[in-house]
């Protein structure tokens, strides 16, 4: 499986017979999985959403959004608990307006799940923890 490094965005091949949680980037030697959501931008989005084979769960959010703020701890906890089966990333719609427009974001938070560059699931609004985990896990 091809995984993008959260630090340098370099692509790495993960062997199926080794534990992924301890894997390091071949380029920058940092851990490939930190257990924290990535800050996705126009510069690093393609590496994680299109080039990597690991499913990517994206939270489109804004700092002024109350539901976004209340959902943030659930999203962070999911990154800690569900990596390395999924990669989790956040896109600040105020700072990354081009990405928000590209995916036609009309309300926030909006959750999207990408597999190899394609949106396979979309959910508008914050979800309770159990419902969010169930939604994510149904796309393994």
């Amino acid at each position: 499986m091809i995984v993008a490094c959260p630090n340098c965005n370099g692509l790495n091949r993960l062997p199926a017979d080794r534990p992924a949680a301890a894997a390091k980037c071949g380029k920058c030697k940092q851990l490939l999985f930190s257990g924290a959501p990535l800050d996705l931008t126009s510069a690093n989005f393609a590496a994680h959403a299109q080039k990597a084979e690991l499913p990517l769960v994206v939270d489109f959010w804004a700092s002024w959004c109350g539901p976004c703020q209340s959902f943030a701890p659930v999203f962070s906890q999911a990154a800690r608990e569900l990596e390395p089966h999924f990669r989790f990333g956040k896109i600040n719609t105020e700072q990354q307006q081009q990405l928000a427009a590209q995916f036609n974001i009309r309300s926030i938070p909006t959750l999207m799940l990408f597999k190899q560059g394609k949106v396979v699931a979309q959910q508008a609004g914050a979800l309770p923890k159990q419902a969010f985990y169930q939604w994510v896990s149904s796309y393994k």
Side-chain angles (χ1 to χ4, degrees), residues 5-8 12 22-32:
C5 176
N7 303 292
C8 71
N12 294 267
K24 292 187 177 181
C25 177
K27 187 175 177 183
C28 73
K29 310 300 184 214
Q30 298 293 316
L31 286 174
L32 291 176

Short mmCIF file of all heavy atoms in Angstrom, two decimals, residues 5-8 12 22-32:
data_model
loop_
_atom_site.label_atom_id
_atom_site.label_comp_id
_atom_site.label_asym_id
_atom_site.label_seq_id
_atom_site.Cartn_x
_atom_site.Cartn_y
_atom_site.Cartn_z
N CYS A 5 3.68 10.59 3.44
CA CYS A 5 4.25 11.01 4.72
C CYS A 5 3.55 12.29 5.20
O CYS A 5 3.39 13.23 4.43
CB CYS A 5 5.75 11.25 4.57
SG CYS A 5 6.53 11.88 6.07
N PRO A 6 3.15 12.35 6.48
CA PRO A 6 2.49 13.56 6.99
C PRO A 6 3.45 14.73 7.15
O PRO A 6 3.03 15.87 7.30
CB PRO A 6 1.93 13.12 8.34
CG PRO A 6 2.78 11.99 8.75
CD PRO A 6 3.22 11.30 7.48
N ASN A 7 4.76 14.46 7.10
CA ASN A 7 5.75 15.51 7.31
C ASN A 7 6.28 16.10 6.00
O ASN A 7 6.27 17.30 5.82
CB ASN A 7 6.92 14.96 8.14
CG ASN A 7 6.44 14.41 9.47
OD1 ASN A 7 5.99 15.16 10.32
ND2 ASN A 7 6.48 13.11 9.63
N CYS A 8 6.74 15.23 5.09
CA CYS A 8 7.35 15.72 3.84
C CYS A 8 6.48 15.45 2.62
O CYS A 8 6.84 15.86 1.52
CB CYS A 8 8.73 15.09 3.66
SG CYS A 8 8.70 13.32 3.25
N ASN A 12 5.42 6.50 0.22
CA ASN A 12 6.10 5.34 0.78
C ASN A 12 5.28 4.10 0.53
O ASN A 12 4.06 4.13 0.66
CB ASN A 12 6.28 5.51 2.30
CG ASN A 12 7.21 6.64 2.66
OD1 ASN A 12 8.38 6.43 2.83
ND2 ASN A 12 6.67 7.86 2.75
N ALA A 22 4.45 1.58 13.22
CA ALA A 22 5.83 1.97 13.50
C ALA A 22 6.60 2.35 12.24
O ALA A 22 7.79 2.64 12.31
CB ALA A 22 6.54 0.84 14.23
N ALA A 23 5.95 2.37 11.10
CA ALA A 23 6.63 2.63 9.83
C ALA A 23 7.16 4.06 9.77
O ALA A 23 6.53 5.00 10.26
CB ALA A 23 5.67 2.39 8.67
N LYS A 24 8.34 4.20 9.14
CA LYS A 24 8.96 5.51 8.98
C LYS A 24 9.09 5.84 7.50
O LYS A 24 9.19 4.96 6.66
CB LYS A 24 10.34 5.53 9.64
CG LYS A 24 10.26 5.43 11.14
CD LYS A 24 11.61 5.62 11.77
CE LYS A 24 11.48 5.58 13.29
NZ LYS A 24 12.77 5.77 13.93
N CYS A 25 9.11 7.14 7.22
CA CYS A 25 9.26 7.63 5.85
C CYS A 25 10.67 7.34 5.34
O CYS A 25 11.65 7.57 6.05
CB CYS A 25 8.98 9.13 5.82
SG CYS A 25 9.22 9.89 4.20
N GLY A 26 10.75 6.83 4.12
CA GLY A 26 12.05 6.57 3.52
C GLY A 26 12.81 7.83 3.18
O GLY A 26 14.02 7.82 3.04
N LYS A 27 12.10 8.95 3.06
CA LYS A 27 12.72 10.21 2.66
C LYS A 27 13.19 11.02 3.88
O LYS A 27 14.35 11.39 3.97
CB LYS A 27 11.72 11.01 1.83
CG LYS A 27 12.25 12.25 1.19
CD LYS A 27 11.18 12.87 0.29
CE LYS A 27 11.66 14.17 -0.31
NZ LYS A 27 10.60 14.79 -1.13
N CYS A 28 12.26 11.30 4.82
CA CYS A 28 12.60 12.16 5.95
C CYS A 28 12.81 11.41 7.27
O CYS A 28 13.16 12.01 8.27
CB CYS A 28 11.53 13.24 6.13
SG CYS A 28 9.97 12.66 6.82
N LYS A 29 12.54 10.10 7.27
CA LYS A 29 12.76 9.22 8.43
C LYS A 29 11.83 9.48 9.61
O LYS A 29 12.04 8.97 10.69
CB LYS A 29 14.22 9.27 8.92
CG LYS A 29 15.26 9.08 7.84
CD LYS A 29 15.12 7.75 7.16
CE LYS A 29 16.24 7.57 6.14
NZ LYS A 29 15.86 6.82 4.98
N GLN A 30 10.77 10.27 9.40
CA GLN A 30 9.78 10.51 10.46
C GLN A 30 8.72 9.41 10.42
O GLN A 30 8.54 8.75 9.40
CB GLN A 30 9.12 11.88 10.26
CG GLN A 30 10.06 13.05 10.33
CD GLN A 30 10.64 13.25 11.71
OE1 GLN A 30 9.94 13.18 12.71
NE2 GLN A 30 11.95 13.47 11.77
N LEU A 31 7.99 9.24 11.52
CA LEU A 31 6.91 8.26 11.57
C LEU A 31 5.82 8.61 10.55
O LEU A 31 5.48 9.79 10.39
CB LEU A 31 6.28 8.19 12.96
CG LEU A 31 7.11 7.52 14.04
CD1 LEU A 31 6.42 7.66 15.40
CD2 LEU A 31 7.33 6.04 13.73
N LEU A 32 5.30 7.59 9.88
CA LEU A 32 4.24 7.81 8.90
C LEU A 32 2.88 8.02 9.56
O LEU A 32 1.97 8.55 8.94
CB LEU A 32 4.16 6.64 7.92
CG LEU A 32 5.34 6.52 6.96
CD1 LEU A 32 5.19 5.26 6.10
CD2 LEU A 32 5.44 7.74 6.08
#
